[in-house]
Amino acid sequence: MSELLQYVVTGLTTGSAYALVGLGIALIAQVTGVINFAQGQFVMLAGLLFAVLQEHRVPTVLAALAALAVTVLVGLALERLVLPRQAAGRTDQAIMLTIGASIVIEGIAFVTIGTEPKFARPFTAGEALRFGGASMDRQYLWVIGIAALVMLAVWLVLTHTRTGWAMRATAMDPDAARLSGISPSRMSLLVFLAAAALGAIGGIVLAPLQSPDASVGIGLGLKGFAAAVIGGLDRPAGAVAGGLAVGVVEALASGYLPSSQSGFADGIAYAVLLVALIARPTGLLRRVTGERV
């Protein structure tokens, strides 16, 4: 039981990061119809910048704010690149542009920062916490707690503010939203900025646990995409549930598979995605409805 609890805690921690990535992908897909395959690079970029700034003895709060600001600016640049294609109805080109942007961001990170992993200090120093026979690094609490607060904030914005209502209206019917005085292009900008911020927060809180390097973004993006699809691309809450599920299953597979096969754990997310698509093609949290004709 102690081993199981340890694996679940580890899975919830990494799953929280996947959930933030998946949530960003789901928000952009809902409002613009574009799958942002550069979402994982937001996590990589913010985590790497945060760690580099800490290595130069920049205070933790300032390092986090700087990494967040730079990542949001990159999100702004990506939206300006994608929006004209999406507005012209060339969603396929817009998606390809996000793939190209992902490769470019990774290349720039390799050239400017290097290939070696960087190391960030935990937010809170001290020994690991123990409960139920499991050991939990204090940073785990920061990851899970901050991710939960951010997800709650996104839910409150979407359900209790005019901006959130406008985003949801744009997601439902852009033409009707435009006739109601809502600017779909402005909503597109806002969701890209929000998605970049979500990825940045995930990268910053995860950096002390998993030393970031320039190569981690694509893997994180694909797992976040798997989380979003598993939960339902049109259900932000589903993306969160999918991310947590992927993280826990991945941790259990890594812990219980023989050491010679532990490398297969990275493929677990895609196996879960395949099973979910077969069993629930519409997503875990989406109701299947029928219409009598």
Side-chain angles (χ1 to χ4, degrees), residues 74-96:
V74 172
L76 171 62
L78 179 61
E79 193 274 341
R80 294 292 93 181
L81 182 68
V82 167
L83 180 62
R85 275 73 178 180
Q86 185 270 335
R90 300 306 303 267
T91 303
D92 53 344
Q93 289 186 4
I95 293 173
M96 290 302 297

Side-chain angles (χ1 to χ4, degrees), residues 48 106 108-118 213-215:
L48 205 52
E106 182 180 286
I108 292 174
F110 271 123
V111 171
T112 57
I113 300 178
T115 59
E116 296 297 320
K118 303 299 179 180
D213 63 69
S215 66

Side-chain angles (χ1 to χ4, degrees), residues 98-259:
T98 68
I99 296 174
S102 173
I103 297 170
V104 170
I105 294 170
E106 182 180 286
I108 292 174
F110 271 123
V111 171
T112 57
I113 300 178
T115 59
E116 296 297 320
K118 303 299 179 180
F119 300 93
R121 298 186 302 275
F123 294 177
T124 305
E127 296 182 355
L129 305 175
R130 296 184 178 277
F131 65 96
S135 175
M136 174 185 282
D137 192 293
R138 292 172 186 264
Q139 189 66 24
Y140 284 14
L141 296 178
W142 280 103
V143 174
I144 295 172
I146 290 177
L149 289 175
V150 169
M151 293 170 198
L152 176 62
V154 170
W155 177 78
L156 289 173
V157 169
L158 290 177
T159 57
H160 290 78
T161 67
R162 291 184 179 274
T163 299
W165 298 336
M167 287 181 181
R168 295 168 67 189
T170 304
M172 293 174 64
D173 191 329
D175 292 330
R178 189 179 290 108
L179 291 173
S180 301
I182 298 170
S183 170
S185 62
R186 181 170 177 267
M187 294 302 105
S188 171
L189 174 62
L190 290 178
V191 293
F192 264 91
L193 295 180
L198 289 171
I201 292 169
I204 291 167
V205 297
L206 203 60
L209 292 175
Q210 300 179 6
S211 301
D213 63 69
S215 66
V216 302
I218 291 178
L220 286 168
L222 290 175
K223 289 177 182 176
F225 172 67
V229 173
I230 288 170
L233 273 172
D234 60 346
R235 307 283 291 190
V240 172
L244 296 176
V246 168
V248 171
V249 172
E250 188 178 71
L252 292 173
S254 180
Y256 287 116
L257 282 176
S259 57

Side-chain angles (χ1 to χ4, degrees), residues 7-17 143-144 244 247-248 251:
Y7 297 146
V8 169
V9 169
T10 302
L12 289 175
T13 304
T14 55
S16 296
V143 174
I144 295 172
L244 296 176
V248 171

Side-chain angles (χ1 to χ4, degrees), residues 19 21 24 45 50 58 77 86 106 132 162 169 191 288-289 291:
V21 177
L45 181 62
F50 176 69
V58 176
Q86 185 270 335
E106 182 180 286
R162 291 184 179 274
V191 293
V288 179
T289 59
E291 182 178 350

